[in-house]
Amino acid sequence: MSRPEVVVHRDGDLLAAAAAARLVTRLVDAQAARGSASLVLTGGRTGIAVLEHLRATPARDAVDWGRVDLYWGDERFLPSGHAERNETQARRALLDHVPVDPARVHVMAPSDGPFGDDPEAAADAYADELAAAARPEDHGSVPTFDVCLLGVGEEGHVASVFPSSPAVYEAERSVVAVRNCPKPPPTRVSLTLPAIRRSREVWLMTTGAAKAAAVSMALTGAGEVQLPAAGATGQRRTLWLLDSAAAAKVPELFTPPLA
């Protein structure tokens, strides 16, 4: 498990722009090293802003988008094309504007998809898709993602793994259905923390003073059951990308100069 790093930006827009620039470099490096790259996408205001900045920068063309495998950390179990689905937002922000290989865009099934209104079946199918993508060197049923992007909720949730929920206790499955979420919509499909930890790098991105307490607790030893963000760690790097407000309670040990 990597020791967390913290980078603080003045505001959310600068954070998103800087994260997009970092992401270009990371994907290009992964492709140079292994021929392809894998990225786990997140929704939310910051996650989609990163994709919008990535679309806008000319540097995006340094990435061979046909050799990027795209996954999602979680998805709202809604009909295909619904405006609140993370997939819909990601396509509008970036994926419809770059030459991705459709076969390498790994979408979590919608509620009107092949499994109907059955989120458990959708979760099982996504777990099977991850297992099919895993290679012998991954030593398990989840591929080793190059970067996993995550937002962080005010109560410390990541993906759709909420504090003290059944999902946070899951130790075996890579993907679960999540019902009765405390935030709408109530039904979702999510990677579990063990699956998230199969990432070489995990980037936790969040903004606003309402997140400051959760950020501080995650960095200072909170347990993952009470604060799932504390359990979202990368194999090589765990990077917290914050704005000044979200970083307000970060201990001095972690606080670098403003980026």
Side-chain angles (χ1 to χ4, degrees):
M1 182 177 68
S2 57
R3 184 181 183 279
E5 303 171 41
V6 176
V7 176
V8 182
H9 295 277
R10 185 169 62 249
D11 57 45
D13 190 61
L14 284 176
L15 186 162
R22 287 177 180 273
L23 196 52
V24 167
T25 300
R26 188 67 191 87
L27 294 176
V28 168
D29 287 348
Q31 290 181 337
R34 290 180 295 280
S36 63
S38 56
L39 172 64
V40 179
L41 299 175
T42 186
R45 182 176 64 251
T46 301
I48 298 305
V50 170
L51 301 187
E52 290 171 343
H53 277 284
L54 192 50
R55 180 186 72 200
T57 177
R60 78 180 197 192
D61 294 332
V63 178
D64 183 345
W65 291 102
R67 294 190 294 130
V68 178
D69 282 289
L70 295 160
Y71 300 90
W72 272 264
D74 72 328
E75 185 56 275
R76 295 156 180 177
F77 197 59
L78 296 167
S80 180
H82 194 288
E84 293 186 18
R85 272 180 63 84
N86 292 335
E87 176 204 355
T88 304
Q89 296 176 15
R91 289 189 183 280
R92 290 175 178 171
L94 175 67
L95 305 188
D96 288 346
H97 307 277
V98 293
V100 295
D101 178 354
R104 301 181 84 152
V105 180
H106 305 276
V107 174
M108 291 177 169
S111 61
D112 61 348
F115 310 104
D117 194 20
D118 185 346
E120 283 78 16
D124 290 345
Y126 206 70
D128 290 343
E129 190 164 350
L130 294 181
R135 301 159 296 181
E137 57 266 34
D138 294 321
H139 304 293
S141 59
V142 179
T144 303
F145 309 117
D146 286 303
V147 178
C148 176
L149 303 177
L150 294 171
V152 181
E154 293 178 13
E155 75 298 280
H157 84 269
V158 290
S160 286
V161 181
F162 287 83
S164 302
S165 67
V168 81
Y169 291 98
E170 182 58 55
E172 300 296 330
R173 290 181 292 175
S174 59
V175 189
V176 293
V178 180
R179 295 181 180 269
N180 302 312
C181 282
K183 295 180 63 176
T187 305
R188 306 180 182 199
V189 176
S190 181
L191 298 188
T192 60
L193 290 177
I196 289 169
R197 289 193 285 260
R198 295 302 304 163
S199 309
R200 291 184 175 90
E201 298 191 12
V202 170
W203 298 4
L204 299 110
M205 309 178 297
T206 197
T207 63
K211 313 292 183 67
V215 170
S216 177
M217 291 170 63
L219 289 168
T220 54
E224 64 186 43
V225 171
Q226 288 74 35
L227 201 87
T233 56
Q235 295 178 352
R236 297 182 183 174
R237 191 182 200 194
T238 304
L239 180 62
W240 286 78
L241 299 172
L242 309 171
D243 73 349
S244 296
K249 298 182 180 180
V250 170
E252 291 184 6
L253 172 66
F254 292 99
T255 307
L258 192 67

